[in-house]
Amino acid sequence: RSAQQGADSGDGSPSSAAAETPSGEDFSLSLLDTNLPAEAETELRSFIAKRLTKGALFEGMGNVASVGLSIPEYKVGCYYCRFQQENLLEMATLESDISASEYVVCFLGGSEKDTFRLELDKYIQSLKINLDVEQKTLETYVSPFLRSWFENAICPVQRVVQLFQEKLAFLLHAALSYTPVEVKNADERTEKDISRFLAAASLQGLVQEGTMTSLCIAMTEEQHKSMIIDCSGPQPQLHNAGSNRFCEDWMQAFVNGAEGGNPFLFRQILENFKLKAIQDINNLKRFIRQAEMNHYALFKCYMFLKNCGSGDILLKIVKVEHAEMPEARNVVTVLEEFMRE
């Protein structure tokens, strides 16, 4: 049985529990930092202990669950992640008799937190690299870091929507078409927010890796080169920016959602935006396969591209994907000519 230290919870709530990889119930949990009331912290600790006993927490991979706590007297979404301090992990590997403390960080908030699980995993990674549980570091770095999780990991999409307003369409277009973006005269937080928004809005991981690389190269080589965002004034100024009807329609959905100011809603809109883009790509690919032997299907391809609002981007994506397929490539070439005319 090893003595251990703990991790965190929060609405901005951090609450913390540490555990060695448990066998049965052979571990202890001790509190490192929290801003939960004592009764709720005990309930959360009991919830985490049960998960650890079942072996349901994998190192570095966050989970999201609904947890009933007496304060604030309703079920809340809880993101929790078990991890070990980076340098101790290496030492434990080298010397198997070292028993390194492990930590469980819990963040409490809206039940929709699953949409931000990857962002929170990255946030924990930053903590893991810099964690030192000496009291001085706990007060000066760890506690403030844990308390700013909501602001830093959840709110960037919302802040970008509020900053860009109607100009958000250009940002969505850049993310979808893999156009390189340069940000100038922005403070560090704004620059990071824009970068995170572009990453979250792109189809990375949803289209083939090779397609993405080829698209990035193709867009970089195009005449207009990078889109430039100048943040020196109260409103960002954009140069070499492109847009289309698809991105303008989705921009409207973001702007309409801004009245409620719910960051989870913005993220859901972003996921729906990507889902629709992927559906359109798949539909176009299906039409292209049919058009290889059917002139009517070729006309259907053309009408689809014309009406979907995003024909410029879809054509680039399928052109890259079909570069090595002669028949499909011929179809794409004909479609390009029609679209130009």
Side-chain angles (χ1 to χ4, degrees):
R1 188 176 173 84
S2 2
Q4 241 99 343
Q5 316 234 30
D8 224 338
S9 127
D11 226 357
S13 301
S15 150
S16 170
E20 194 180 41
T21 310
S23 69
E25 296 193 11
D26 186 24
F27 64 93
S28 62
L29 287 174
S30 54
L31 181 67
L32 183 62
D33 187 29
T34 186
N35 59 2
L36 273 179
E39 188 181 351
E41 189 276 318
T42 305
E43 291 164 346
L44 182 64
R45 190 190 300 217
S46 167
F47 166 79
I48 293 297
K50 283 176 189 166
R51 293 287 165 128
L52 285 165
T53 305
K54 290 175 184 172
L57 274 76
F58 297 101
E59 213 274 340
M61 286 174 60
N63 298 270
V64 176
S66 186
V67 187
L69 301 178
S70 54
I71 313 268
E73 295 176 357
Y74 62 89
K75 280 187 182 274
V76 293
C78 173
Y79 165 91
Y80 55 98
C81 183
R82 180 185 132 227
F83 71 98
Q84 197 172 57
Q85 203 173 322
E86 194 85 327
N87 55 351
L88 290 179
L89 201 56
E90 290 163 16
M91 286 164 61
T93 311
L94 294 170
E95 303 176 40
S96 54
D97 58 330
I98 292 180
S99 175
S101 291
E102 293 189 55
Y103 303 87
V104 180
V105 178
C106 307
F107 294 132
L108 302 179
S111 58
E112 314 95 322
K113 208 179 297 76
D114 194 38
T115 50
F116 286 93
R117 192 176 57 77
L118 293 176
E119 281 88 344
L120 290 170
D121 281 353
K122 283 180 191 166
Y123 199 66
I124 297 301
Q125 192 62 29
S126 305
L127 176 66
K128 176 177 168 176
I129 291 163
N130 298 295
L131 181 67
D132 182 342
V133 290
E134 289 174 14
Q135 197 58 36
K136 193 171 72 173
T137 315
L138 178 66
E139 288 165 8
T140 58
Y141 175 77
V142 177
S143 293
F145 185 87
L146 293 172
R147 278 166 171 73
S148 60
W149 72 273
F150 192 81
E151 191 68 17
N152 290 338
I154 307 295
C155 292
V157 171
Q158 181 179 20
R159 286 196 293 265
V160 167
V161 172
Q162 289 166 343
L163 177 64
F164 281 80
Q165 299 289 321
E166 278 78 11
K167 291 179 180 174
L168 192 73
F170 300 112
L171 215 53
L172 291 170
H173 189 271
L176 216 51
S177 60
Y178 303 92
T179 302
V181 174
E182 283 179 42
V183 181
K184 296 184 174 179
N185 305 312
D187 58 69
E188 189 185 353
R189 188 175 83 164
T190 303
E191 196 165 342
K192 272 188 185 168
D193 284 354
I194 293 170
S195 170
R196 283 176 181 175
F197 182 90
L198 288 165
S202 82
L203 300 181
Q204 186 163 9
L206 299 175
V207 297
Q208 296 168 19
E209 199 66 36
T211 301
M212 213 170 59
T213 309
S214 303
L215 272 168
C216 291
I217 294 165
M219 292 309 292
T220 308
E221 286 169 353
E222 278 198 9
Q223 249 110 63
H224 64 256
K225 298 203 169 69
S226 302
M227 180 172 100
I228 295 163
I229 302 172
D230 185 352
C231 295
S232 50
Q235 274 282 306
Q237 297 302 310
L238 278 60
H239 308 282
N240 304 327
S243 186
N244 59 29
R245 196 174 74 247
F246 181 80
C247 294
E248 281 156 17
D249 289 347
W250 280 95
M251 170 274 293
Q252 208 55 59
F254 280 102
V255 172
N256 293 344
E259 293 162 21
N262 178 349
F264 296 105
L265 172 64
F266 290 125
R267 186 51 193 264
Q268 195 53 61
I269 295 171
L270 202 52
E271 292 305 313
N272 293 344
F273 162 79
K274 294 197 292 186
L275 181 63
K276 182 68 175 95
I278 286 292
Q279 284 172 345
D280 285 351
I281 290 168
N282 290 337
N283 280 331
L284 180 59
K285 285 185 191 170
R286 189 161 45 82
F287 290 144
I288 287 173
R289 279 197 302 274
Q290 293 167 1
E292 288 175 19
M293 1 242 237
N294 181 321
H295 286 292
Y296 178 67
L298 179 61
F299 179 70
K300 269 201 334 194
C301 271
Y302 167 64
M303 291 308 293
F304 177 77
L305 281 170
K306 208 173 143 184
N307 297 326
C308 70
S310 192
D312 57 330
I313 293 173
L314 297 189
L315 207 48
K316 277 176 187 151
I317 291 173
V318 295
K319 185 178 180 179
V320 167
E321 286 203 356
H322 294 100
E324 304 301 318
M325 300 154 70
E327 302 217 343
R329 194 175 65 230
N330 291 340
V331 172
V332 173
T333 306
V334 173
L335 288 171
E336 276 185 314
E337 285 170 18
F338 272 100
M339 290 298 282
R340 268 200 302 274
E341 288 170 19

